[in-house]
């Protein structure tokens, strides 16, 4: 949700900022902007509605020189996505320029106060209020920029990551954060001179340095060309920065020959899952080793209940996790939409374990949900992908899913990574609680080890989805059905289709159809049914009959060798046989591919669908 890049050093800032914006574009793409202080002392701001390419076109004939700069790619919250509302925003005197990610909740009050003090505003954004407030503090207290930023932020209610430039001090870059992520990269250029980078995540930084500092809430930092870094809290108490080494490679941030990140990430799933389970699933010893569970054994063994908080795709993965943990560990599990949980006074006990599932580790609602659980004394556990992310740091312990950076806005490999991690978690707890018989435990371990190979098989044997998907571009609605472990897969298949192709789609438990939704079925309605030859197969066959009698078109996901459902279907995708609980990791693959190819055939921007952003750091 909005991306921030910054640079101060001896190199030209503009190319670094633009490259960084391209890497962060998945966070928002309503508008983009850049600001530099040139050697002539000018503080320039250039902005464009739309993507970073549009900004580059505008800048093509402009003076973009300068060795200090900030840049922004926007996901609009306050004010429509146009050039005026794009960041960076100038202060009234045009001496300051500021970029912001987050939401200033009391911006209307602050704006009214500033207007009373003769400040005029150009945009509808909450961000412009911030930059004006900083300038106002400079004037009021006759203080330097750093102090003015500290003072201004004391008046702010809400979330922010900001970076700010001051024309009168071209040797200093200042930033701050609360609730929205901000990372400082500490590097040296090719001549060994100190330089600093800023990024909303590590992707714009990793090319230049792997030494980073994750700014903490209510910290303000100033960086200068001599390599000095000063971090304080809002009360001006010095904070000791903790340098960390990034574990990420640049290749993971490129498309690597695929037309879209989404397709690359779908195909990466077998390898991503191998990485997820490596060292954790020990096939020879038929064992599961998860340090997060071993180190906190008593918390899990004695848990009264597990509550999993998540949003979107992560919520779907959490639901699969619930089914498995309840079955394997006999612990009641509740799955909550983080956005609902945080505001509805839920009952939370100190002996509850609250698990946050989040790819980005930055989702504002999920973060707030665990903060609430912490107040009630619950034990917090994170299942995140992004290392060092806010949720990973706010939890007491956790397990990274380790699927590598996910750039496509529609989540794919993170979903299967979350599912496999929750399965590992369930197995590790079951081992401690002894709730699974040894032979069942060993059989599940053995089978889980085979899943990456079976995913590869699924990818290789469903290559015709590409041509098949063309037939569905005209459809206005889709229904997805599944039962048991495959009900969350139906939800996920429907979400994938609607978010990237903009076709309306709904997922239901298959047997719920007859309680209402079946009224929608006619010869125009494609119904995707996940019907593996396991569990409730016969029941699903009956559900298919019901739809066929209403002339619905059946697209099924079937087990290799299945003839019955295949015979009843207009189209089928095949997956290898596996245990019920592991089917979701295979069945979701054809559904990801279906949504991908339908969206491509409709000419949609698959990696950056409209109105969406990868990391939802606003509520
Ligand atoms: C859908 C999608 C979203 C995210 C949701 C939570 O493809 O990606 O629904 O799953 O915004 O994000 P994280 O997992 O980062 O908390």
């Amino acid at each position: 949700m909005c991306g921030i890049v910054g640079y101060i050093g001896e190199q030209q800032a503009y190319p670094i900022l633009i490259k960084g914006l391209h890497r962060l574009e998945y966070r928002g793409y309503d508008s983009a902007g850049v600001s530099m202080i040139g050697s002539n002392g000018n503080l320039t701001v250039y902005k464009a509605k739309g993507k970073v390419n549009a900004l580059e076109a505008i800048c093509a004939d402009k003076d973009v020189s300068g060795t200090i700069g900030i840049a922004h790619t926007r996901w609009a919250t306050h004010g429509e996505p146009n050039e005026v509302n794009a960041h960076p925003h100038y202060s009234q005197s045009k001496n300051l320029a500021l970029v912001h990610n987050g939401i200033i909740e009391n911006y209307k009050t602050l704006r009214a106060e500033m207007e009373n003090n003769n400040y005029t505003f150009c945009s509808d954004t909450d961000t412009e209020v911030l930059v004006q407030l900083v300038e106002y503090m400079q004037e009021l207290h006759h203080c330097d920029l750093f102090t003015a930023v500290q003072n201004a932020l004391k008046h702010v209610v809400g979330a922010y990551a900001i970076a700010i430039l001051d024309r009168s001090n071209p040797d200093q870059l200042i930033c701050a954060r609360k609730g929205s992520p901000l990372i400082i990269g500490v590097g040296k250029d090719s001549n060994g001179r100190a330089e600093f980078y800023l990024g909303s995540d590590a992707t714009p930084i990793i090319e230049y340095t792997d030494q980073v500092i994750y700014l903490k809430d209510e910290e303000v930092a100033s960086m200068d060309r001599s390599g000095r870094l000063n971090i304080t809290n809002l009360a001006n108490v010095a904070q000791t920065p903790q340098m960390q080494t990034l574990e990420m490679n640049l290749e993971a941030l490129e498309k690597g020959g695929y037309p879209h990140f989404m397709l690359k990430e779908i195909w990466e799933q077998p390898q991503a899952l191998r990485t997820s389970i490596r060292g954790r699933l020990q096939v020879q010893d038929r064992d599961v080793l998860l340090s997060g569970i071993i180190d906190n054994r008593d918390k899990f063994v004695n848990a009264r209940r597990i509550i999993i908080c998540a949003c979107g795709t992560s919520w779907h993965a959490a639901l699969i996790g619930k089914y498995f943990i309840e079955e394997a560990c006999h612990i009641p599990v509740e799955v909550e939409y983080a956005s609902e949980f945080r505001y509805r006074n839920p009952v939370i006990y100190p002996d509850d374990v609250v698990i946050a599932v989040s790819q980005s580790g930055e989702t504002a609602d999920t973060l707030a949900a665990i903060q609430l659980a912490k107040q009630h004394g619950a034990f917090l556990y994170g299942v995140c992908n992004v290392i060092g992310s806010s949720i990973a740091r706010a939890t007491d312990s956790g397990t990274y899913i380790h699927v590598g950076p996910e750039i496509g806005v529609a989540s794919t490999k993170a979903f299967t990574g979350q599912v496999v991690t929750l399965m590992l978690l369930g197995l590790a707890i079951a081992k401690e609680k002894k709730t699974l018989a040894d032979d069942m435990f060993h059989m599940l371990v053995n089978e889980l080890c085979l899943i990456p190979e079976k995913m590869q098989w699924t990818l290789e044997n469903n290559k015709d989805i590409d041509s098949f998907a063309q037939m569905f571009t005209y459809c206005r609605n889709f229904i997805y059905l599944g039962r048991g472990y495959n009900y969350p897969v139906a939800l996920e298949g429907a979400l994938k289709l609607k978010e990237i192709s903009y076709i309306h789609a709904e997922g239901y438990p298959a047997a719920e159809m007859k309680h209402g939704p079946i009224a929608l079925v006619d010869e125009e309605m494609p119904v995707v049914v996940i019907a593996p030859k396991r569990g409730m197969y016969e029941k699903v066959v009956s559900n298919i009959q019901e739809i066929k009698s209403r002339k619905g078109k059946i697209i099924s996901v079937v087990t290799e060798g299945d003839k019955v459902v295949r015979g009843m279907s207009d189209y089928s995708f095949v997956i290898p046989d596996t245990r019920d609980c592991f089917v979701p990791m295979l069945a979701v693959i054809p559904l990801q591919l279906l949504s991908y190819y339908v969206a491509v055939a409709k000419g949609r921007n698959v990696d950056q669908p409209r109105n969406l952003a990868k990391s939802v750091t606003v509520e």
Side-chain angles (χ1 to χ4, degrees):
M1 204 112 309
C2 296
I4 291 177
V5 196
Y7 175 76
I8 180 168
E10 303 292 343
Q11 303 187 61
Q12 284 300 307
Y14 177 76
I16 295 169
L17 297 173
I18 288 293
K19 204 177 219 185
L21 284 185
H22 278 297
R23 294 240 158 89
L24 285 181
E25 205 167 21
Y26 71 90
R27 296 176 70 92
Y29 28 84
D30 290 332
S31 62
V34 65
S35 176
M36 280 83 47
I37 306 176
S39 51
N40 53 9
N42 285 345
L43 173 64
T44 50
V45 169
Y46 303 113
K47 322 199 251 193
K49 182 179 172 192
K51 306 230 160 133
V52 180
N53 288 342
L55 175 68
E56 284 182 275
I58 281 178
C59 292
D61 59 354
K62 303 285 189 311
D63 175 12
V64 290
S65 63
T67 53
I68 177 170
I70 54 178
H72 189 265
T73 177
R74 179 169 186 244
W75 187 83
T77 55
H78 295 73
E80 67 175 271
N82 59 25
E83 197 182 313
V84 176
N85 290 331
H87 304 207
H89 287 281
Y90 273 131
S91 60
Q92 178 129 307
S93 67
K94 297 205 166 160
N95 278 335
L96 308 179
L98 178 144
V99 290
H100 165 225
N101 171 27
I103 289 184
I104 307 304
E105 288 168 18
N106 61 337
Y107 85 104
K108 282 199 175 135
T109 321
L110 292 171
R111 180 170 170 149
E113 282 170 22
M114 304 293 299
E115 281 168 344
N116 284 339
N117 284 296
N118 297 323
Y119 275 78
T120 50
F121 288 81
C122 313
S123 76
D124 306 318
T125 63
D126 51 342
T127 303
E128 196 183 3
V129 175
L130 262 183
V131 68
Q132 302 278 43
L133 187 62
V134 173
E135 184 160 292
Y136 178 58
M137 289 294 155
Q138 273 184 315
E139 284 170 9
L140 196 67
H141 301 294
H142 303 291
C143 58
D144 59 24
L145 181 66
F146 193 79
T147 313
V149 170
Q150 287 173 330
N151 285 336
L153 294 176
K154 285 181 198 155
H155 295 266
V156 162
V157 178
Y160 53 78
I162 58 167
I164 183 162
L165 294 183
D166 181 354
R167 180 202 306 271
S168 60
N169 193 352
D171 294 321
Q172 190 184 36
L173 176 60
I174 288 181
C175 66
R177 79 152 263 181
K178 181 185 173 193
S180 300
L182 201 57
I183 302 176
I184 298 172
V186 182
K188 282 201 165 41
D189 68 15
S190 51
N191 295 317
R193 295 169 301 190
E195 53 184 9
F196 292 102
Y197 297 83
L198 282 185
S200 291
D201 63 32
T203 58
I205 298 176
I206 186 67
E207 185 168 349
Y208 311 104
T209 176
D210 62 359
Q211 295 302 296
V212 295
I213 294 157
Y214 293 88
L215 213 57
K216 299 198 183 97
D217 275 352
E218 301 202 335
E219 284 185 344
V220 185
S222 81
M223 292 145 271
D224 69 21
R225 283 210 177 73
S226 66
R228 236 189 334 255
L229 169 68
N230 175 32
I231 302 183
T232 72
N233 62 15
L234 295 188
N236 201 29
V237 177
Q239 307 292 302
T240 312
Q242 283 171 354
M243 194 81 82
Q244 299 191 23
T245 303
L246 285 175
E247 287 170 27
M248 189 188 270
N249 66 44
L250 207 52
E251 254 173 43
L253 305 177
E254 312 287 349
K255 285 191 199 141
Y258 286 90
H260 297 99
F261 280 110
M262 183 179 176
L263 190 61
K264 175 183 175 230
E265 287 159 6
I266 291 173
W267 275 84
E268 269 174 1
Q269 288 178 105
Q271 194 48 40
L273 253 71
R274 275 183 202 109
T275 316
S276 274
I277 61 179
R278 185 169 303 138
R280 296 167 168 177
L281 207 55
Q282 319 244 315
V283 76
Q284 264 159 5
D285 300 336
R286 299 191 295 180
D287 202 359
V288 176
L289 289 177
L290 220 52
S291 56
I293 302 298
I294 296 168
D295 297 347
N296 303 287
R297 181 188 179 279
D298 292 349
K299 295 280 179 200
F300 284 93
V301 168
N302 302 325
R304 172 196 288 241
R305 182 175 61 153
I306 291 176
I307 302 172
I308 314 184
C309 293
C311 304
T313 287
S314 301
W315 190 91
H316 300 154
L319 203 54
I320 297 169
K322 167 191 161 81
Y323 292 1
F324 185 70
I325 295 169
E326 287 194 337
E327 199 177 6
C329 314
H330 306 168
I331 302 174
V333 182
E334 289 168 19
V335 176
E336 296 273 359
Y337 286 113
S339 53
E340 290 294 311
F341 183 78
R342 64 181 289 197
Y343 285 121
R344 66 167 180 76
N345 293 323
V347 177
I348 308 167
Y349 301 105
D351 50 355
D352 282 339
V353 171
V354 175
I355 302 180
V357 180
S358 173
Q359 186 286 129
S360 63
E362 300 294 346
T363 300
D365 285 320
T366 311
L367 190 55
I370 55 169
Q371 281 159 352
L372 175 72
K374 195 184 187 93
Q375 286 165 19
H376 289 77
F379 180 72
L380 306 183
Y381 201 85
V383 174
C384 298
N385 188 33
V386 177
I387 294 168
S389 54
S390 300
I391 293 172
R393 284 179 293 129
T395 39
D396 297 309
S397 182
T399 304
Y400 283 115
I401 66 171
H402 282 314
V403 296
E406 189 179 65
I407 311 287
V409 165
S411 191
T412 52
K413 64 176 178 173
F415 173 76
T416 43
Q418 289 164 341
V419 173
V420 84
T421 305
L422 290 168
M423 299 279 162
L424 290 174
L425 206 82
L427 286 170
I429 302 170
K431 185 175 113 180
E432 299 297 340
K433 285 195 76 167
K434 304 196 186 337
T435 42
L436 282 176
D438 281 356
D439 52 350
M440 175 58 88
F441 181 83
H442 295 148
M443 193 271 297
L444 289 171
V445 168
N446 282 342
E447 182 58 26
L448 192 48
C449 282
L450 298 177
I451 293 298
E453 224 172 277
K454 293 190 177 185
M455 285 176 130
Q456 190 68 38
W457 188 98
T458 307
L459 286 160
E460 303 287 350
N461 286 275
N462 285 289
K463 284 189 172 153
D464 55 348
I465 297 182
D466 181 359
S467 47
F468 158 76
Q470 315 280 336
M471 288 181 270
F472 290 93
T473 51
Y474 70 90
C475 290
R476 297 174 61 85
N477 300 288
F478 265 71
I479 292 176
Y480 286 71
L481 301 178
R483 296 187 76 150
Y485 281 101
N486 295 312
Y487 160 52
V489 180
L491 295 176
E492 177 58 8
L495 177 62
K496 286 289 88 86
L497 187 74
K498 62 188 147 196
E499 69 183 328
I500 61 168
S501 70
Y502 318 148
I503 294 174
H504 173 245
E506 295 296 338
Y508 285 99
E512 271 295 302
M513 276 299 281
K514 53 188 170 297
H515 300 289
I518 202 159
L520 294 168
V521 175
D522 60 16
E523 60 279 3
E524 305 263 287
M525 178 66 87
V527 182
V528 181
V529 190
I530 303 136
K533 209 156 185 193
R534 285 272 174 179
M536 285 174 280
Y537 178 73
E538 302 299 341
K539 308 252 177 237
V540 176
V541 170
S542 307
N543 298 142
I544 295 175
Q545 292 285 15
E546 290 156 13
I547 295 155
K548 274 195 80 73
S549 353
R550 274 95 189 162
K551 301 197 166 56
K553 283 204 166 46
I554 302 289
I555 304 166
S556 58
V557 179
V558 298
T559 306
E560 188 193 3
D562 176 282
K563 291 208 172 60
V564 177
V565 173
R566 237 192 156 143
M568 297 164 76
S569 306
D570 296 273
Y571 308 96
S572 288
F573 309 128
V574 194
I575 57 170
D577 186 33
T578 185
R579 299 283 308 181
D580 257 340
C581 54
F582 301 144
V583 170
M585 289 179 277
L586 305 180
V588 77
I589 290 177
L591 305 190
Q592 293 168 341
L593 289 168
L594 177 66
S595 60
Y596 172 80
Y597 284 115
V598 170
V600 169
K602 285 179 83 77
R604 304 299 192 213
N605 187 339
V606 170
D607 281 335
Q608 294 170 348
R610 70 183 179 203
N611 306 338
L612 293 174
K614 185 75 185 159
S615 185
V616 186
T617 54
V618 296
E619 57 171 296

